[in-house]
Amino acid sequence: MNADCSAGPIPDVRVATKPANGEIRLEEVHAVVDRTPEDRRAHCNGKPVDARGLFYKSADGFVGQDKVLIEVDFKTGSVRRFLYTIEVR
């Protein structure tokens, strides 16, 4: 999202390390901006944006923690890694 709340490029998202006990699905989604008040893009709250959704499905019978590492190329010269810990109950 740009400073004027217009849509920026949709980032490329790659799974760097797959979860050991489940599957990850990536798909394009429509989301509504919901930033905390101190975020520099909070003035864009409520605006719709195109995004990438990350969806997890655990293996049958699995209970516990699973992890997935993703890389996000924001197409602005920045690639960041995010490690997600998923609690399956």
Side-chain angles (χ1 to χ4, degrees):
M1 164 183 20
N2 298 312
D4 66 356
C5 301
S6 62
I10 295 176
D12 288 329
V13 180
R14 296 175 294 277
V15 177
T17 304
K18 295 179 181 181
N21 300 290
E23 300 175 358
I24 290 293
R25 185 179 84 247
L26 297 166
E27 62 184 62
E28 290 187 24
V29 297
H30 301 287
V32 175
V33 177
D34 183 21
R35 302 289 180 107
T36 59
E38 60 275 356
D39 188 287
R40 64 187 178 117
R41 299 284 194 254
H43 65 280
C44 298
N45 283 349
K47 306 258 185 201
V49 292
D50 293 330
R52 293 256 188 244
L54 179 72
F55 300 91
Y56 172 85
K57 182 179 187 306
S58 65
D60 289 342
F62 174 73
V63 175
Q65 287 188 345
D66 208 352
K67 294 183 180 185
V68 62
L69 180 66
I70 64 167
E71 294 178 338
V72 181
D73 181 347
F74 291 98
K75 299 181 182 177
T76 60
S78 173
V79 176
R80 293 188 56 196
R81 297 182 114 194
F82 298 90
L83 176 63
Y84 290 97
T85 301
I86 304 152
E87 184 72 34
V88 179
R89 299 180 189 176

